[in-house]
């Protein structure tokens, strides 16, 4: 499962940070998961819960921001809203758009103690 491996890499990152910044618990994690990232948020939450059992991040609250998918159309010369990264332009229906937003998968903020 893709989301479980993402959750495990996330935990690795948290443990690395805990070492560097000397904290013992992660209370809250704020993530950005773009609409075009292909990540299933319910599966990620579930994966995170499983991956963090007995770790510094067990029971941590998870807030997820979802930046909308956007892409650039060279024909229309404008940014358009898209729901998947391989979409043709909803404006002209011809050109493939280059995704410019919504691909994020990153930690925005951590609340630790
Ligand atoms: Zn277009």
């Amino acid at each position: 499962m893709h989301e479980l491996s993402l959750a495990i890499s996330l935990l690795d990152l948290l443990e690395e940070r805990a070492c560097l910044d000397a904290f013992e618990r992660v209370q809250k994690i704020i993530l950005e998961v773009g609409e075009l990232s292909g990540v299933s948020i319910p599966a990620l939450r579930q994966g995170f819960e499983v991956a963090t059992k007995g770790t510094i991040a067990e029971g941590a609250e998870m807030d997820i921001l979802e930046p909308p998918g956007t892409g650039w159309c060279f024909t229309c010369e404008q940014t358009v809203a898209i729901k998947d990264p391989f979409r043709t332009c909803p404006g002209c229906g011809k050109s493939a758009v280059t995704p410019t937003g919504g691909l994020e998968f990153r930690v925005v903020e951590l609340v630790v103690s």
Side-chain angles (χ1 to χ4, degrees):
M1 190 171 100
H2 177 59
E3 279 78 6
L4 182 58
S5 58
L6 274 178
I8 292 169
S9 353
L10 197 59
L11 178 64
D12 282 348
L13 184 99
L14 295 177
E15 288 185 327
E16 213 170 283
R17 284 277 286 273
C19 219
L20 289 171
D21 299 345
F23 58 82
E24 282 165 12
R25 298 288 304 171
V26 177
Q27 287 174 335
K28 184 172 178 175
I29 171 166
I30 304 176
L31 286 177
E32 222 173 42
V33 181
E35 196 179 16
L36 305 183
S37 65
V39 175
S40 153
I41 290 172
L44 178 66
R45 285 187 183 280
Q46 203 183 14
F48 188 75
E49 209 181 297
V50 172
T52 55
K53 277 225 162 64
T55 72
I56 57 159
E58 183 171 10
E61 200 185 320
M62 190 183 251
D63 267 7
I64 299 180
L65 310 171
E66 298 173 69
T70 56
W72 176 258
C73 175
F74 286 98
T75 305
C76 303
E77 295 188 327
Q78 64 176 351
T79 295
V80 294
I82 51 172
K83 296 284 175 203
D84 73 72
F86 308 108
R87 196 66 171 263
T88 52
C89 172
C92 60
K94 291 180 211 156
S95 310
V97 296
T98 306
T100 51
L103 295 162
E104 302 82 354
F105 182 80
R106 64 188 189 97
V107 176
V108 181
E109 206 182 316
L110 287 178
V111 180
V112 300
S113 58

